[in-house]
Amino acid sequence: MPSRTANCCLHWGHFPPESAVPWDFDGEPDGAQVDQIDVVVLPYPDAAGALPRLAKLKNLKLVQAQTTGVDGIADVVGPNIAIASAAGVHAASTAELAVGLMLASLRGIDVAARDQPEGRWRHERRLSLADRKVLLVGVGGIGMEIARRLEPFEVQLTRVGTHARDDNDGHIHGTGELEQLAASHDVLVAITPLTDATHGLIDAAILAALPDGALVVNVARGPVVDTHALTAEVVSGRLSCALDVTDPEPLPPDHPLWRAGNALITPHLGGDTTAFEPRIVRLLQQQLAAIAAGQTPQNLVQPGCFRNSSSELQPR
C-alpha cells in the first residue's frame, strides 16, 4: 500500500501502512505529533473515551469508526470533518445475534439456563419463531441481513423504514405506521441507526399497541427504545424483551430489568465476534488505499472534505 504522510492512529496492531502509528488517545501518538494527524481510526468497541481528544486535532480531515453507529462523533468534530462508518463489517454477526435473541427468548432457553444450576427440570409449551409475525424496524445493511436469516424460519415479516416505498423484496412501511402495525405483530426488532429522528422511536404508544406476550428485541442503540416505557411493560409481565443495547448502557445494577424473568440482556456484543477482525482489516485497507490514491473512501456518513469529490487527502 502506498506510503502516506497522514498518521492513521490504530487502536490495535495487525495492519497499518508505513504512515500509520498506534495511539491510545492519551498523550502523544507513537512517532508523531498530535497536530500532524489527519486520519484517525477510533478504538473498538468503546470509542467514547477517545472522542474528546478529536477536538484537539487541528489537521483532522477524516474519522473512521470501527462501528456501524457513529453517534456522538459529529458533535465533537463538527460538520467539516469527514466521518466514515464500518457499515457491513458487523452485519452478519449482529443479524446472528438478533435471531439468537428471538429464539432464546421465545423458546425459553434463557429460563432453562437459569434453571440448570439448580437442577430444575421445567417442561413448558413455548412460542415458536415459526409463524410469528415479526416487525423489523430498520432496513439498512443489518436489517437486510436479519431479514435474510429469518427466511428459513417461516415467519411473517413486515419491514419498516424511514418512509414507505417498494423494493425488490416487496413493500417497506414508513415509521408513521408503526403504532398501527405493532398491534398485529408478535415480535418487534429494532435495528435503526441512532439519530434525532429515531431517538425514542419505539415509544410508550408503540409498546402499548403490541399485543400481550409480544417480544421486543433491540440490537440497534439503547435510546431507540424508550427504556422507562419498556421497563414498565416488561416488569408488569405484559411484554418480554431481549436487549443487546440499553439506555443507559450498561444499566445500573439495581435496574428492575436485570431481575425481570421475561427480560434477556446481553452486553452489547452484537458485532464483537471472530468475524470482526478480518472484516475490519479489509475495510481499513480499502479505506487507506483509497485515500492514498486520492479517491473517496467508502461508508461516508458525513462527507467533510470529500463533499465535492475532490479530496484534500491526496498522496504526497
Side-chain angles (χ1 to χ4, degrees):
M1 190 176 294
S3 176
R4 288 277 297 114
T5 56
N7 295 309
C8 182
C9 300
L10 305 182
H11 204 64
W12 96 114
H14 290 284
F15 165 62
E18 296 172 14
S19 61
V21 295
W23 185 29
D24 62 4
F25 295 90
D26 183 20
E28 296 294 311
D30 294 355
Q33 300 297 315
V34 169
D35 59 6
Q36 295 177 312
I37 295 170
D38 51 13
V39 177
V40 163
V41 178
L42 290 174
Y44 180 83
D46 184 11
L51 294 184
R53 197 66 191 270
L54 299 182
K56 301 179 181 180
L57 304 181
K58 305 303 181 185
N59 197 42
L60 183 63
K61 295 181 178 67
L62 171 66
V63 178
Q64 172 68 58
Q66 297 190 67
T67 53
T68 305
V70 294
D71 29 298
I73 300 176
D75 295 338
V76 174
V77 302
N80 297 319
I81 306 301
I83 301 171
S85 75
V89 168
H90 304 282
S93 295
T94 305
E96 284 177 356
L97 182 65
V99 175
L101 288 172
M102 285 182 248
L103 286 168
S105 184
L106 291 171
R107 297 302 301 271
I109 296 171
D110 56 333
V111 176
R114 290 194 293 268
D115 285 347
Q116 183 174 332
E118 300 176 6
R120 185 178 182 187
W121 182 278
R122 178 166 35 167
H123 179 93
E124 296 176 320
R125 174 167 288 181
R126 304 290 302 204
L127 292 172
S128 65
L129 182 52
D131 302 332
R132 291 309 99 202
K133 294 180 179 179
V134 178
L135 187 60
L136 180 62
V137 185
V139 291
I142 300 176
M144 290 174 60
E145 293 301 316
I146 293 173
R148 284 180 55 200
R149 282 159 176 77
L150 285 174
E151 287 178 6
F153 286 95
E154 303 176 28
V155 305
Q156 299 179 49
L157 182 66
T158 303
R159 297 176 300 151
V160 178
T162 305
H163 57 273
R165 60 194 187 274
D166 294 312
D167 65 8
N168 292 336
D169 296 315
H171 187 64
I172 298 172
H173 297 264
T175 53
E177 304 172 70
L178 265 174
E179 186 174 343
Q180 178 183 357
L181 291 168
S184 59
H185 285 79
D186 309 302
V187 181
L188 184 153
V189 183
I191 184 54
T192 65
L194 179 61
T195 65
D196 290 342
T198 62
H199 195 287
L201 175 65
I202 311 303
D203 60 12
I206 292 169
L207 294 170
L210 287 166
D212 291 356
L215 170 65
V216 177
V217 179
N218 190 1
V219 287
R221 287 291 187 269
V224 169
V225 177
D226 182 328
T227 298
H228 179 74
L230 178 66
T231 301
E233 293 278 16
V234 171
V235 170
S236 75
R238 200 184 76 80
L239 298 180
S240 296
C241 69
L243 312 174
D244 188 48
V245 291
T246 61
D247 179 31
E249 191 170 291
L251 291 173
D254 60 348
H255 196 281
L257 281 179
W258 286 120
R259 296 179 298 281
N262 49 340
L264 172 58
I265 302 172
T266 54
H268 201 157
L269 44 76
D272 201 358
T273 70
T274 53
F276 166 70
E277 188 168 300
R279 294 175 187 226
I280 193 64
V281 167
R282 284 196 297 270
L283 175 64
L284 294 177
Q285 288 172 334
Q286 293 165 3
Q287 297 292 72
L288 294 187
I291 292 168
Q295 300 170 353
T296 301
Q298 304 174 52
N299 297 345
L300 288 179
V301 295
Q302 179 166 291
C305 62
F306 300 99
R307 184 170 286 107
N308 299 315
S309 298
S310 56
S311 166
E312 298 176 29
L313 291 172
Q314 300 295 328
R316 295 177 282 195

